Amino acid sequence: MKLKSVTLLCCLALAGWAQAQTNVVSTQMRPVEEAAKVRTIILNGAPDAVNFIPEDGNTYFTRMKAELGAAQGKVHATIALDGELAPVNQIGGLSDLDGLLKTLSANREFSPAAVALGKFGGKNQRFIPLMTNTFQMVANKKALQYLPKGANVNALTYDQLTAWGKAMKAATGESKIGFPAGPKGLMHRYFQASFYPSHTGGIVRTFKGADAEKGWASLRELWNYVNPRSTSYGFMEEPLKTGEVWVAFDHTARLLPTLMEKPADFVAFPAPAGAKGRGFMPVMVGMAIPKNAPDRAAAERVIDHMTKPATQALIMKEIGFFPVVKANLGELSPGIQLASDGMNAVFAAKDRVASQLPVHLGAKGGEFNKVYVDTFTRIVLRKEDIKTVLAEQGKVLNDLVQETGAPCWAPDISSNGRPCFVD
């Protein structure tokens, strides 16, 4: 009897999950504090009760594919990176949103570039742009006195970053540079956004070869001045706050709490440049409606709420993601302004090399990211032979590309629709 009661409660709970609220599955704003802000601040005033459901990016495609396999799904709307939405669109899982975009555009002005990305190169709008961001670096002002002579943080090179780290270690006896190389960190994005584009001009096709070998050798040298606890860091917020690290790379949203708490103590700036330029990754987040959403009207209402200028301003102030619609942000707090200035410097760099998020990899996105982290572990942490590691990991990368058929994306040279194999 007890088992029947539990089963009944379970079924009732699932029924409520599907019908009582507007269910929004999101790969973004997943950290506990951010998700709490979404539920209590960002969604405050939404016309319907919204169930905000964080989902890991590595399992997102599998979840959405399973949802789409049902006659009627339980997900009303979804928030994800353009690269995460692309494979869902490839399997025909996203609704056309041309009519919704037209309606929304009547009283708000979207970024044309952001709108274009929502078409995935086709004719129909498949996601409504929601917010944008990027990765950048932050330094404690205590570190600035150790900058190499003539160096400018907004135009830093990798050689200068290494010299900077060496000078800080000589002065303090500590390695003061930090990276989010822990299990929950975004180290894979560092390789895809900065390291590979800067040193090789690509991500996949240029994975091995002379440029890659030189880049990895330079990173191995830099790592002599990187805090050894970096392999446990998920977010650079705390190490920066405590002074354990003075110079760090991370996603803007993950750096924001530090900048907001101690804005007078830090500067924000682009990641360094290598031989091929200054790699960066403009991050675009969109909202889409699955083809089998249970209530399209409810989904459109929550998208309407999230893209209103006032909500866009809240997202900027509370989460640290930048608006995709023209919005009066008012007077920004010093920390938000600092993050904004850093992001603007990233986008304005004359030697910038834009890198897209990995696309067309479907459920293999996590395995793709792992190739770069495994390569780092073997070359930098274990000090294995660089050429050997790149050859072996390049084969793993090619196997993934062969399996997914993924064509090249920026900054790699186009493969004209063919799989993007390592050269």
Side-chain angles (χ1 to χ4, degrees):
M1 190 68 173
K2 185 176 181 181
L3 180 60
K4 289 181 179 178
S5 298
V6 172
T7 304
L8 177 59
L9 287 172
C10 174
C11 293
L12 288 173
L14 287 173
W17 191 91
Q19 298 174 11
Q21 296 177 307
T22 302
N23 298 311
V24 177
V25 169
S26 175
T27 65
Q28 304 301 296
M29 303 174 286
R30 288 172 43 235
V32 175
E33 289 186 4
E34 289 184 16
K37 287 182 177 180
V38 173
R39 295 182 181 111
T40 61
I41 300 173
I42 307 302
L43 288 169
N44 184 34
D48 306 300
V50 177
N51 184 20
F52 181 76
I53 309 162
E55 177 72 32
D56 188 277
N58 291 329
T59 58
Y60 174 73
F61 179 74
T62 302
R63 176 179 188 146
M64 293 305 296
K65 191 174 181 181
E67 285 285 338
L68 291 164
Q72 181 174 295
K74 297 175 182 177
V75 177
H76 294 76
T78 181
I79 298 173
L81 300 169
D82 56 343
E84 293 168 333
L85 290 168
V88 182
N89 183 60
Q90 276 187 299
I91 63 173
L94 301 182
S95 301
D96 289 343
L97 302 178
D98 301 88
L100 176 60
L101 178 66
K102 183 177 180 180
T103 298
L104 296 176
S105 298
N107 57 16
R108 70 207 66 176
E109 184 179 341
F110 285 92
S111 159
V115 168
L117 286 174
K119 296 180 186 293
F120 295 115
K123 295 181 179 179
N124 300 108
Q125 198 72 31
R126 295 296 171 82
F127 74 73
I128 303 296
L130 176 64
M131 54 192 187
T132 187
N133 218 319
T134 192
F135 296 81
Q136 58 181 300
M137 294 192 75
V138 162
N140 191 307
K141 289 181 179 178
K142 293 178 181 178
L144 298 181
Q145 61 185 306
Y146 303 109
L147 271 170
K149 187 176 180 180
N152 176 354
V153 291
N154 285 323
L156 205 65
T157 67
Y158 268 99
D159 287 343
Q160 289 174 332
L161 178 61
T162 300
W164 193 8
K166 185 176 182 179
M168 287 188 287
K169 188 168 185 176
T172 66
E174 299 176 355
S175 296
K176 288 294 191 181
I177 297 174
F179 286 89
K184 295 183 179 180
L186 295 174
M187 194 65 179
H188 55 285
R189 294 292 187 234
Y190 162 71
F191 293 117
Q192 297 158 10
S194 177
F195 176 82
Y196 257 97
S198 297
H199 289 292
T200 74
I203 298 173
V204 178
R205 295 183 70 160
T206 59
F207 181 80
K208 63 180 183 178
D211 289 335
E213 290 173 23
K214 290 178 184 177
W216 281 108
S218 72
L219 184 60
R220 184 185 278 175
E221 172 64 19
L222 172 63
W223 213 259
N224 291 318
Y225 313 110
V226 171
N227 192 298
R229 290 193 61 198
S230 287
T231 52
S232 67
Y233 295 153
F235 295 69
M236 296 313 303
E237 171 189 350
E238 285 303 319
L240 283 167
K241 283 182 181 179
T242 61
E244 185 171 278
V245 161
W246 281 356
V247 179
F249 172 95
D250 211 341
H251 190 282
T252 301
R254 295 186 171 197
L255 294 167
L256 193 59
T258 301
L259 302 184
M260 293 185 71
E261 185 172 320
K262 299 181 177 181
D265 293 352
F266 295 95
V267 293
F269 53 97
K276 301 298 183 179
R278 192 175 308 276
F280 80 106
M281 181 179 282
V283 178
M284 179 56 61
V285 179
M287 289 193 77
I289 301 176
K291 274 282 181 70
N292 62 344
D295 185 343
R296 175 165 176 139
E300 292 189 356
R301 287 194 295 271
V302 73
I303 294 175
D304 177 30
H305 173 78
M306 293 294 284
T307 57
K308 286 179 178 177
T311 310
Q312 292 274 291
L314 276 178
I315 291 173
M316 172 67 193
K317 292 176 181 178
E318 299 294 337
I319 308 294
F321 276 80
F322 287 70
V324 290
V325 303
K326 191 173 183 179
N328 180 9
L329 299 177
E331 184 176 347
L332 300 178
S333 70
I336 293 288
Q337 188 64 60
L338 183 57
S340 178
D341 291 344
M343 185 169 168
N344 288 335
V346 171
F347 290 142
K350 293 180 180 179
D351 55 352
R352 64 190 181 276
V353 179
S355 173
Q356 287 183 302
L357 281 160
V359 294
H360 305 308
L361 293 165
K364 297 293 181 179
E367 294 179 40
F368 177 83
N369 294 335
K370 188 175 182 292
V371 170
Y372 294 85
V373 175
D374 287 350
T375 303
F376 159 72
T377 299
R378 294 180 62 184
I379 291 175
V380 177
L381 301 183
R382 298 178 185 167
K383 295 182 169 55
E384 296 182 32
D385 179 70
I386 295 175
K387 183 172 287 190
T388 300
V389 173
L390 291 180
E392 293 176 358
Q393 293 297 115
K395 184 180 184 305
V396 176
L397 199 52
N398 275 342
D399 288 345
L400 282 172
V401 170
Q402 177 71 50
E403 186 175 351
T404 61
C408 290
W409 59 90
D412 278 302
I413 298 171
S414 172
S415 56
N416 297 315
R418 296 188 297 273
C420 190
F421 292 120
V422 178
D423 288 337

